[in-house]
Amino acid sequence: MATPTNDSAIRTTMVQQQKAADRKKLILNLVLLAILLVAPAVMYPVFLMKILCFALFAVAFNLLLGFTGLLSFGHAAFLATGGYTTGYLLSTYSGVTTEMGILAGTAAATLLGLGFAIVTIRRQGIYFAMITLALAQLVFFFFVQAEFTGGEDGMHGVPRGYLFGLVNLENNLAMYYFVLAVFLFGYLLVQRTVNSPFGQVLKAIKQNEPRAISLGYNVNWYKLVAFVMSAGLAGLAGSMKTVVFQLASLNDAHWHMSGEVILMTLLGGTGTLLGPVVGATFVVNLEYQLSQGPLGDWVDAILGGIFILTVIAFRSGIVGEIQKFVKKNLS
């Protein structure tokens, strides 16, 4: 007669395995944090800030695609809305502080995300993607026509100001650590979200939406909240980018930017927390290196080739493939 399974022992083993996995994640996060803290000593801070802004943008997008299963072709609208709102307020009103301008840009992108979500959230697949693209193009043409954006010339001379009236953000090092703090806030917020019960429902929706509905979950409400959170964080990335470079341009609102964040996320690894950060770092570095050499005119073609290669041969992305290798060979 078979010995009954010891449920208590199984639970204990699972808890120990989870604790070991949490320790490994903590160690990895601390190592990465240490690298980010000392990075300005070896690299130009403004370039690092560009990577962090796009990394936050990709992390925001991954919350929607990687953990909820919704492919948006309109996330550039939120990046640009955050940037233009922050830039306009800081350039026009002297009484608006830097942090107030960033919060206002984030709020504007969040409200726009809510509007997008109300229109699109009941659609699925290609219909959802195409509607988000169409709405984003409407936003793009609004920014082209609006006087306050500067049209095709963009919005220049946005002041960085002082953080809390104390820290001069014209200092690139001070600005870098502010951007790093904002990035860590966004990254940890997404990490906490996807590991919460709310995040588990999002994963269930991605894996099998009809089953999630059959279990009694209001799927549309969960997707709406995830969409709005993603839009808000994308707007935060746009606001920070405008302050860093002291300009906002139509490039941030163009559909090409929506495609670029998709590439960053897929290349790094959808459904992983670190993947979008790795993907954004890779793409920003690659664009910079190519633009400095004889292949500068071929940047888009090369990125397109990388996108095709990733979809065909490395569908789990850089981080996803590493995780699969470690699990298969080192576990």
Side-chain angles (χ1 to χ4, degrees), residues 249-266:
S249 70
L250 283 175
N251 288 336
D252 291 343
H254 199 271
W255 66 265
H256 181 272
M257 184 61 70
S258 294
E260 196 163 306
V261 75
I262 294 173
L263 172 61
M264 292 175 182
T265 307
L266 290 176

Side-chain angles (χ1 to χ4, degrees), residues 54-82:
F54 279 107
L56 178 58
F57 185 31
V59 167
F61 179 76
N62 188 48
L63 176 63
L64 198 63
L65 175 63
F67 295 103
T68 315
L70 297 175
L71 175 58
S72 167
F73 278 119
H75 257 53
F78 311 127
L79 183 78
T81 297

